[in-house]
């Protein structure tokens, strides 16, 4: 399903268990960041990680309230 975000270098897309959010990893130059998209509109990407160069492998908790990820 198309979600309305502009094209970008998105990878490791993870949908929350409740289907309301997407976590996406994006590479921007030397930084790898994680953003969250509210569904179903999916028009805005909120940046979750602000520091670190390798933020990756997002995993939602079963209740969809938290997101764990690997970071340097």
């Amino acid at each position: 399903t198309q979600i309305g975000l502009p094209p970008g270098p998105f990878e490791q897309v993870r949908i929350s268990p409740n289907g309301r959010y997407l976590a996406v990893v994006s590479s921007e130059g030397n930084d790898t960041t994680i953003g969250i998209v509210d569904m179903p509109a999916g028009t805005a990407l909120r940046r979750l990680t602000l520091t670190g160069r390798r933020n990756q492998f997002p995993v939602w908790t079963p209740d969809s309230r938290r997101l764990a990820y690997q970071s340097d």
Side-chain angles (χ1 to χ4, degrees), residues 48-63:
L48 174 67
T49 57
L50 300 176
T51 60
R53 291 194 172 264
R54 284 178 241 134
N55 301 297
Q56 55 190 351
F57 308 122
V59 178
W60 289 100
T61 57
D63 63 4

Side-chain angles (χ1 to χ4, degrees), residues 3-16:
I3 60 172
L5 285 177
F10 303 125
E11 54 188 60
Q12 300 177 24
V13 177
R14 305 288 188 264
I15 191 164
S16 63

Side-chain angles (χ1 to χ4, degrees), residues 13-70:
V13 177
R14 305 288 188 264
I15 191 164
S16 63
N18 67 5
R20 186 168 173 203
Y21 306 103
L22 286 179
V24 296
V25 175
S26 178
S27 296
E28 301 170 5
N30 291 330
D31 291 334
T32 303
T33 62
I34 298 174
I36 296 176
V37 179
D38 291 329
M39 297 297 290
T43 56
L45 180 67
R46 293 182 292 130
R47 189 169 172 170
L48 174 67
T49 57
L50 300 176
T51 60
R53 291 194 172 264
R54 284 178 241 134
N55 301 297
Q56 55 190 351
F57 308 122
V59 178
W60 289 100
T61 57
D63 63 4
S64 301
R65 295 181 66 195
R66 293 181 179 87
L67 186 70
Y69 57 92
Q70 176 187 345

